[in-house]
C-alpha cells in the first residue's frame, strides 16, 4: 500500500449518545477506506448515522471506540492544537445550513480560514477573491449572508471550505436546503472542484442527484455500512435506489 | 513524540496550529462589536442600567442626612440596604445580558473552530469584547447615575453637600463602579465562552438559542 493512497480510513467506529437512561448507537462499527481524489456519497435513511460519521471523520466529535486516520495520522492521538491545524489546513467543511458567520461579508467569511492559518492578509484576500470567482460570486464579495440566496450562501461556504487548499472536503447534506436547480448547480460545482483540483469529496446526502457524480456510494443503515457501490454498477440500479430513499 | 501518531507506512506530520497575535483578536473583536452595533448597544444598556442604579444609590449616600441622630442612623441603614439591592439587581441584569449575548453565538464559535480557531483564540475574542463593553458601559453607567443625583440636588438648591468629602467620594465611586461593572461583565461572559470553546465543535454547532 502506498503511504498516501488513502486519505481517510476509519476502523471500527462506534459512537453512542446517552440521553437519560437511553443509549443510541449512532455508529456501530464503521470501517471505511477512502482514496485520494475520490468523490464519495454517504447515503442512508434519516437517523442512520450520516451526520455522526461526518462529525467523526471531520474531527468535530470524538467516537467512543475505533479510530479515524487522516493521511495516516490517527486523529485520537492529536492534541487540541494539532486538531485545530488539521481542521484549518487539511479538511474543509460544508454544512446543510451553510454556517456562514452572519456579521461578516462573503469575502471576510472566505478569508477567515486564511487568517487562522496565519496567511498575510493581502494574500488571504487575494486567495478569497480567486475562490469567490471560481464559485461564480466574485461580484458579490461585499454582501453579507443575509443578502445572498441559499445557493449563493452555499457557494460562499464552498469557497471558504477551499480557502487553505484542503485535501478533503466534507459535506453534510450540502443540497438539503436548496431547490432542485440550485442543488444541481452545487453538485456540479463540487464535482468540478473534485476533477480540477483533485480534492477528495465526502458528502452525506439524501439527494439522488449525487449518485450521478459519485465515484462510490456508501449506504449506511442503523450505524453500519450496508453496502458500497462503485459508480460502474450504479446506473443499472437507479430504480432500486429510488425505492430505498423513501424510507 | 510524533512517531506513534503515524501508521507504520509513515505519512504527513500534523503541526501545531499557530497562535494568532493579540492584534488580530483585537481587530476581529472591534469589528464584531461594530457590526452588531444594535445588539451591542442592547447588551451595553443592560450593564449601563445596572451600574447607573448602583451609582445613583451610592451618590445619594454621599450627601449628609438631616435629622436627629436616630433618624440619621436609620437613613444610613436604609441606604446601605438599597446599595446592596442595587448591586444585586445590577449583577442579575449584567449576567443576564452577557449570558444571552454569548450563548446566541455558540454556533459561530463552533464554526470558527471548524475553520481552525484555537480555543484560546475564541476565549480571547470574548475577553476583549467583554472588557470593552464592560469598561465603557460601566463608566457611562456610573456617570449617568451620578449626574441624575447631582442634578436633582442642584435643582433643589441644596448645595451644602458639595464639599471635599463629596468629591473624593465621587472619585472613589467612579473607580468602584467601573471596576464592579467590568468585573461582573467578564465573570458572566468568560465561563460560557470557555465552555463553548472547549466543546467538541459538533456540539457547539448543534446548539440553537
Ligand atoms: N447529539 C445527539 N444526541 C443524541 N442523539 C443523537 C445526537 N446526534 C445524533 N443522535 C442520534 O444518532 C442517530 C444518528 O443521527 P445522525 O444525525 O447521524 O443521522 P443522519 O443519518 O445524519 O440523519 P439525517 O439524514 O436526518 O440528517 C439518530 O438516532 C440520532 O437521534
Ligand atoms: Mg444528518
Amino acid at each position: 500500500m502506498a503511504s498516501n493512497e488513502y486519505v481517510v480510513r476509519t476502523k471500527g467506529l462506534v459512537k453512542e449518545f446517552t440521553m437519560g437512561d437511553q443509549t443510541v448507537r449512532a455508529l456501530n462499527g464503521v470501517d471505511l477506506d477512502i482514496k485520494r481524489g475520490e468523490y464519495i456519497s454517504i447515503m442512508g435513511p434519516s437517523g442512520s448515522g450520516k451526520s455522526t460519521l461526518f462529525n467523526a471523520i471531520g474531527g468535530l466529535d470524538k467516537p467512543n471506540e475505533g479510530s479515524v486516520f487522516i493521511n495516516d495520522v490517527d486523529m485520537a492521538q492529536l492534541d487540541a492544537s494539532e486538531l485545530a491545524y488539521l481542521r484549518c489546513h487539511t479538511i474543509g467543511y460544508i454544512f446543510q445550513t451553510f454556517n456562514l458567520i452572519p456579521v461578516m461579508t462573503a469575502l471576510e467569511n472566505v478569508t477567515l480560514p486564511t487568517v487562522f492559518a496565519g496567511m498575510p492578509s493581502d494574500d488571504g484576500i487575494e486567495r478569497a477573491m480567486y475562490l469567490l470567482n471560481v464559485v461564480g460570486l466574485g461580484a458579490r464579495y461585499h454582501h453579507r449572508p443575509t443578502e445572498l440566496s441559499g445557493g449563493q450562501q452555499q457557494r460562499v461556504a464552498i469557497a471558504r471550505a477551499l480557502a487553505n487548499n484542503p485535501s478533503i472536503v466534507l459535506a453534510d447534506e450540502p443540497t438539503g436546503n436548496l431547490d432542485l436547480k440550485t442543488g444541481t448547480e452545487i453538485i456540479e460545482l463540487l464535482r468540478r472542484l473534485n476533477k480540477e483540483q483533485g480534492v477528495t469529496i465526502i458528502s452525506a446526502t439524501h439527494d439522488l442527484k449525487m449518485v450521478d457524480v459519485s465515484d462510490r456510494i456508501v449506504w449506511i443503515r442503523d450505524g453500519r455500512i450496508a453496502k458500497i457501490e462503485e459508480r460502474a454498477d450504479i446506473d443499472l440500479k437507479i430504480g432500486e435506489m429510488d425505492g430505498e430513499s423513501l424510507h | 513524540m510524533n512517531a506513534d501518531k503515524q501508521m507504520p507506512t509513515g505519512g504527513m506530520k500534523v503541526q501545531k496550529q499557530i497562535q494568532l497575535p493579540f492584534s488580530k483578536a483585537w481587530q476581529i473583536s472591534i469589528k464584531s462589536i461594530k457590526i452588531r452595533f444594535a445588539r451591542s448597544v442592547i447588551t451595553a444598556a443592560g450593564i449601563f442600567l445596572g451600574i447607573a442604579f448602583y451609582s445613583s444609590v451610592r451618590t445619594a449616600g454621599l450627601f449628609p442626612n438631616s435629622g436627629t441622630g436616630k433618624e440619621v442612623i436609620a437613613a444610613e441603614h436604609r441606604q446601605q440596604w438599597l446599595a446592596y439591592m442595587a448591586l444585586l439587581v445590577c449583577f442579575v441584569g449584567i449576567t443576564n445580558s452577557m449570558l444571552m449575548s454569548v450563548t446566541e453565538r455558540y454556533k459561530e464559535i463552533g464554526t470558527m473552530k471548524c475553520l481552525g480557531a484555537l480555543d484560546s483564540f475564541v476565549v480571547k475574542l470574548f475577553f476583549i469584547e467583554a472588557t470593552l463593553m464592560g469598561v465603557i458601559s460601566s463608566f457611562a453607567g456610573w456617570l449617568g447615575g451620578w449626574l441624575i443625583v447631582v442634578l436633582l440636588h442642584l435643582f433643589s438648591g441644596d448645595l451644602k453637600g458639595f464639599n471635599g468629602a463629596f468629591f473624593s467620594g465621587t472619585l472613589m465611586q467612579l473607580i468602584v463602579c467601573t471596576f464592579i461593572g467590568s468585573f461582573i461583565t467578564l465573570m458572566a461572559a468568560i465561563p460560557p465562552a470557555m465552555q463553548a470553546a472547549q466543546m467538541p465543535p459538533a456540539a457547539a454547532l448543534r446548539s440553537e438559542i
Side-chain angles (χ1 to χ4, degrees):
Chain A
M1 183 192 86
S3 78
N4 54 6
E5 183 186 359
Y6 292 108
V7 65
V8 175
R9 309 179 75 187
T10 75
K11 282 201 195 310
L13 276 189
V14 173
K15 177 71 185 179
E16 287 180 339
F17 294 103
T18 311
M19 290 188 303
D21 52 358
Q22 272 200 344
T23 299
V24 179
R25 229 171 215 235
L27 294 179
N28 191 7
V30 173
D31 299 304
L32 184 60
D33 293 342
I34 296 170
K35 290 197 203 79
R36 198 167 295 280
E38 267 191 311
Y39 191 125
I40 298 261
S41 287
I42 298 169
M43 293 207 166
S46 185
S48 56
K50 301 183 295 293
S51 297
T52 311
L53 182 60
F54 167 94
N55 287 334
I57 293 177
L60 304 183
D61 214 352
K62 284 196 166 61
N64 298 80
E65 288 167 37
S67 358
V68 177
F69 297 91
I70 302 286
N71 292 321
D72 291 344
V73 178
D74 182 356
M75 233 187 301
Q77 305 294 324
L78 301 179
D79 66 23
S81 170
E82 291 163 330
L83 263 179
Y85 182 91
L86 198 77
R87 292 187 196 120
C88 188
H89 293 263
T90 313
I91 307 175
Y93 305 85
I94 299 171
F95 302 92
Q96 178 174 357
T97 51
F98 321 132
N99 292 2
L100 298 174
I101 306 225
V103 299
M104 294 186 176
T105 62
L107 180 63
E108 288 165 340
N109 265 288
V110 182
T111 311
L112 196 56
T114 70
V115 172
F116 292 139
M119 199 186 278
S121 69
D122 286 349
D123 297 357
I125 288 171
E126 194 179 314
R127 171 85 183 144
M129 274 314 292
Y130 164 76
L131 287 168
L132 282 171
N133 280 315
V134 168
V135 300
L137 275 182
R140 310 294 296 269
Y141 70 94
H142 57 289
H143 287 246
R144 299 256 174 79
T146 49
E147 300 159 354
L148 298 170
S149 72
Q152 290 168 335
Q153 290 186 52
Q154 195 61 299
R155 283 164 190 274
V156 175
I158 291 173
R160 182 179 68 181
L162 296 171
N164 290 324
N165 245 320
S167 42
I168 307 157
V169 166
L170 272 175
D172 192 4
E173 315 231 12
T175 60
N177 280 5
L178 304 175
D179 62 37
L180 193 76
K181 178 170 167 289
T182 322
T184 309
E185 284 167 11
I186 292 296
I187 290 172
E188 276 163 8
L189 174 60
L190 287 174
R191 181 54 171 173
R192 206 181 89 212
L193 295 167
N194 168 251
K195 280 259 164 66
E196 289 172 4
Q197 325 227 348
V199 54
T200 309
I201 297 201
I202 305 170
S203 175
T205 186
H206 282 298
D207 193 338
L208 285 170
K209 295 192 294 298
M210 281 276 195
V211 170
D212 295 336
V213 301
S214 306
D215 296 320
R216 282 195 297 160
I217 300 175
V218 179
W219 291 90
I220 73 170
R221 188 178 285 269
D222 299 329
R224 286 174 169 283
I225 293 181
K227 60 180 170 187
I228 300 182
E229 292 183 302
E230 301 282 335
R231 176 161 172 66
D233 310 332
I234 292 166
D235 300 335
L236 311 167
K237 297 186 186 167
I238 296 285
E240 183 191 323
M241 268 168 218
D242 268 326
E244 194 128 15
S245 74
L246 294 176
H247 286 257
Chain B
M1 173 196 161
N2 275 321
D4 56 335
K5 287 178 184 163
Q6 291 161 33
M7 301 273 286
T9 46
M12 70 166 221
K13 270 188 212 160
V14 175
Q15 302 170 30
K16 302 238 179 231
Q17 179 68 310
I18 54 157
Q19 295 268 356
L20 290 176
F22 188 81
S23 61
K24 204 76 220 179
W26 175 265
Q27 224 175 312
I28 295 181
S29 298
I30 297 283
K31 206 189 270 171
S32 167
I33 293 180
K34 268 197 203 151
I35 290 176
R36 39 185 132 230
F37 189 71
R39 184 67 184 85
S40 308
V41 166
I42 292 171
T43 309
I47 305 170
F48 174 90
L49 288 176
I51 292 295
F53 181 35
Y54 180 65
S55 161
S56 65
V57 170
R58 297 298 305 267
T59 304
L62 290 176
F63 292 95
N65 291 296
S66 50
T68 65
K70 225 180 181 176
E71 284 165 352
V72 169
I73 291 173
E76 270 169 8
H77 279 161
R78 201 172 54 240
Q79 225 132 35
Q80 195 99 65
W81 188 78
L82 253 179
Y84 284 131
M85 288 314 289
L87 201 57
L88 191 69
V89 169
C90 149
F91 177 79
V92 174
I94 295 178
T95 308
N96 179 44
S97 55
M98 282 321 283
L99 276 181
M100 273 304 294
S101 78
V102 178
T103 46
E104 72 190 11
R105 287 165 67 188
Y106 269 30
K107 202 163 177 174
E108 184 180 324
I109 293 175
T111 305
M112 290 223 216
K113 286 193 64 179
C114 287
L115 304 181
L118 288 170
D119 299 4
S120 58
F121 185 79
V122 172
V123 175
K124 227 181 270 173
L125 288 183
F126 281 86
F127 180 82
I128 296 171
E129 280 184 42
T131 306
L132 282 173
M133 302 268 285
V135 170
I136 295 171
S137 333
S138 305
F139 176 78
W142 163 78
L143 190 64
W146 182 85
L147 264 182
I148 284 177
V149 173
V150 165
L151 288 178
L152 282 177
H153 272 265
L154 283 179
F155 284 132
S156 68
D158 177 12
L159 299 178
K160 65 181 181 302
F162 293 99
N163 50 24
F166 172 81
F167 288 108
S168 63
T170 289
L171 186 66
M172 188 64 198
Q173 279 170 24
L174 185 170
I175 295 167
V176 168
C177 286
T178 310
F179 175 79
I180 289 181
S182 312
F183 183 74
I184 299 176
T185 305
L186 275 177
M187 290 314 288
I190 297 307
M194 279 176 76
Q195 195 198 355
Q198 285 163 4
M199 272 183 198
L205 283 172
R206 211 166 21 235
S207 71
E208 300 284 340
I209 28 158

